[in-house]
Amino acid sequence: NIERIDLLDNGQKHRVDNLSLQDVIDITGNDNILTILGGSGDSVSLKDGAGAEWTRSGTEVGTGVDTGHVFDVYTNAYDSTVKVLIEQQIDQNIVP
């Protein structure tokens, strides 16, 4: 299972494109929470699906290994237990 993606690499610009609800379910453990760390040069796009739209539902301050990081939290309309936490410095968008 993949529960954390670290895009933090100084001087590099990384992209995670078209991350769908099914992608998150397939790669995460039973808790269905994916955390993405990164910086201002990085970008993440979440892909909406029919009845499976992503919504920014708030912010969360990291704890444990993520202490010092602040994340925007995205949930999905189809299954609100599925969450993607994206570090605030990352360029974020939702694509239809």
Side-chain angles (χ1 to χ4, degrees), residues 32-49:
N32 291 325
I33 298 172
L34 178 64
T35 301
I36 303 175
L37 294 152
S40 60
D42 300 322
S43 66
V44 173
S45 65
L46 301 174
K47 174 87 171 147
D48 277 344

Side-chain angles (χ1 to χ4, degrees), residues 17-75:
D17 291 329
N18 298 319
L19 190 64
S20 70
L21 170 65
Q22 193 61 53
D23 293 334
V24 176
I25 291 170
D26 288 347
I27 66 174
T28 57
N30 291 336
D31 64 357
N32 291 325
I33 298 172
L34 178 64
T35 301
I36 303 175
L37 294 152
S40 60
D42 300 322
S43 66
V44 173
S45 65
L46 301 174
K47 174 87 171 147
D48 277 344
E53 294 81 18
W54 291 101
T55 303
R56 182 172 169 252
S57 57
T59 60
E60 189 171 304
V61 176
T63 59
V65 297
D66 294 326
T67 297
H69 300 272
V70 180
F71 302 92
D72 289 325
V73 179
Y74 290 86
T75 54

Side-chain angles (χ1 to χ4, degrees), residues 5-9 12-17 34-46 56 69-72 74 84-93:
I5 297 173
D6 189 345
L7 303 176
L8 291 169
D9 186 7
Q12 301 292 319
K13 294 183 180 183
H14 300 96
R15 295 171 48 159
V16 175
D17 291 329
L34 178 64
T35 301
I36 303 175
L37 294 152
S40 60
D42 300 322
S43 66
V44 173
S45 65
L46 301 174
R56 182 172 169 252
H69 300 272
V70 180
F71 302 92
D72 289 325
Y74 290 86
V84 178
L85 285 67
I86 304 173
E87 192 163 13
Q88 286 188 331
Q89 294 94 310
I90 296 173
D91 181 34
Q92 310 164 29
N93 62 53

